[in-house]
Amino acid sequence: MLRFDHEELALMPSLRALYAADVRFVEVIGKWLIALAQSINARPPALRLLDEQRASGWFDRSDMVGYCAYVDRFAGTLAGVERRVGYLRDLGVRYLHLLPFLRTRSGDNDGGFAVRDYGEVDPALGSNTDLASLTAVLRAQGISLCADFVLNHTADDHAWALAAKSGSVTHQDYYHRIADAGLVARYEATLPEVFPMSAPGNFTRVDALDGWVWTTFYPYQWDLNWSNPKVFAEMSLAMLRLANLGVEVFRIDSAAYLWKRLGTACTNLPECHLVLRALRAVAAIAAPGVLLKAEAIMPMRELPRYFGSGGRGGEECHLAYHSSLMAATWAGLATQRADIVASVLTRSPRPPSGCAWINYVRCHDDIGWQVLAHEAAGHGGCAPFDLDWVARFYAGEVAGSYAQGEAFQSQGLEHAHGSNGMAASLVGLHRAIASGDAEQQQLARRRLLLLYGLCLSGAGVPLLYMGDELALGNDESFRLHPQRRLEGRWLHRPAMDWVLADAVDAGDGIAAATHATLRRWIGLRAAHPELAPSAPLRAWTDPGSAVLVVARGENFLALFNFTDHVQTLDLRTPDHGDAWFDVLAGCRCLSPLRIEPYGTHWLVRQ
Ligand code: GLC
């Protein structure tokens, strides 16, 4: 039985707006509706039960904490991940994002983001049966599995791409094939470049197609033509097949790029939002417990639309990465300025009901600086700052920098694009350990905890990046790997160190200490409903200091000293009241509160 009562309201208008002018629409959508019904009928009983149990915004709880990892780097295979579920549970994880695990392109594959078959787990990582088994085990532990839905492009050895190369016009139309070099140049005139150094341009010449194919990312990632209703039909069904294997959250990869129009940047176009709205409706009809999470690494002004822009919003993705906040936190740390983060937090729109930001410190990608261009130019209500300098800081190229990272895709010393490196290396922890300087180690450790303290106390679902809980550092081994050596993002994709992880309870080193602190803070977060994603947030910088104050409701304050010197905060002001308990330190606060360099405090009103 199709649940078309409410969702149809969003589905059919979106589909009609996208495709009604296409002569194939009626036939394609007619057949697709039958397949949709079959997918609904095939949904396993355990997942139907989950659908029924889930109310809107079920993830809006302070114990909702995510963890992101590559399957192979974390535990070898999906079965290996299953054996490590206890580790995640113990850390307090409720949501696991496993980076792409579907059958991938042979050879280089952008860490799995070049998918060859959307219906099959990559044999190197396991099987569909292993996936269903893992999702069942996770579900039993109250952990939701998130998978990437790489829908902007397929691998160039996907069956559709192979058919296109063999001359199938039907399949050529699944992609953007352009025969005219002049048209390619006209598109390029307004297009940004995602990998300007390693994959310049947005098109790749393919002789078998006697023309160019649109490749926003690497030449082997062919952009799908979402203006073709067959692409919508095939891809939405692929998503539902994965949902029926127990995937509960889809990370909508490269969400901003789905639609192309000459003369524009081909990002964030209205039709792109219609596609997301239609996919959301499909999920709501056929797998209502499932969430969509937008990966749109775009300036903040573009982000709220990924939640939906209709009257009440919330018709597109349930979750969206807050990339501006992530980048602003790193910029604030380098410049020792709390106001950059305060300005981003103050201007962050509150997501519609049933939606939430994803807050994160690091992920498998670089820290992209361009999302902050507007703020850096002084338009965000804070004084301007220099993003090129920030990128150089994290590359360890400015005097006084403690960071051990690298610039990514930056053209020379100007035009900062992104920065690579594990959080612990970017905050200088491993350099300090190597130097044996205990004071520097302490400062670096505080910087790492400040980043996670903010992530865990902000308004959103916090996401830990694999290895940060053990303060793992950069992995230089990619430089010897034939396919990875030119892809700097592998610097922060280390293998999990299970020797360290298995010893956290007994160990006394930096890994054990970081793990213990983060586990405790995750527990404290869970115990404070004021920290639920949608609970109110106000942020400001204390006028007398460079301390960021984040208030969650009336009774919870999180304080962050972004500088390398002690700050004091008068807690007896009307804003602060006077009786506070420091939940991280486990003691009553004395006013004025002394905040150590890069110190973090969470205070609860007594
Ligand atoms: C997303 C992924 C990134 C990948 C790109 C192309 O941005 O996070 O790792 O390179 O999409 O699929």
Side-chain angles (χ1 to χ4, degrees), residues 110 113 150 153 195 217 221 251 253-254 295 364-365 489 493:
D110 191 18
F113 283 97
V150 186
H153 42 264
F195 300 137
F217 297 90
Q221 289 165 310
R251 174 182 178 276
D253 181 60
S254 309
E295 191 249 352
H364 67 291
D365 285 330
R489 289 177 296 172
R493 298 170 180 174

Side-chain angles (χ1 to χ4, degrees), residues 33 43 352 401-402 404 432 504 510 565:
L33 283 171
R43 190 147 174 83
S401 167
Y402 43 73
Q404 271 186 308
V504 284
I510 195 80
H565 42 278

Side-chain angles (χ1 to χ4, degrees), residues 47 55 134 196 258 274 279 304 394 471 562:
L47 298 174
L134 172 63
L258 301 181
L274 283 172
L279 287 174
Y394 284 114
F562 273 76

Side-chain angles (χ1 to χ4, degrees), residues 295-374:
E295 191 249 352
I297 308 305
M298 291 286 142
M300 197 163 72
R301 65 174 178 280
E302 295 292 346
L303 295 180
R305 287 165 63 210
Y306 286 86
F307 294 124
S309 53
R312 62 189 168 85
E315 304 92 351
E316 292 184 26
C317 297
H318 307 80
L319 302 166
Y321 285 88
H322 201 329
S323 45
S324 293
L325 178 57
M326 182 275 295
T329 312
W330 284 104
L333 199 62
T335 56
Q336 303 196 33
R337 281 177 49 181
D339 59 323
I340 299 174
V341 176
S343 98
V344 168
L345 282 173
T346 305
R347 292 177 302 110
S348 294
R350 201 166 166 182
S353 152
C355 298
W357 294 113
I358 291 285
N359 289 335
Y360 62 120
V361 171
R362 288 296 290 113
C363 71
H364 67 291
D365 285 330
D366 54 305
I367 304 170
W369 299 115
Q370 293 314 313
V371 296
L372 286 183
H374 181 79

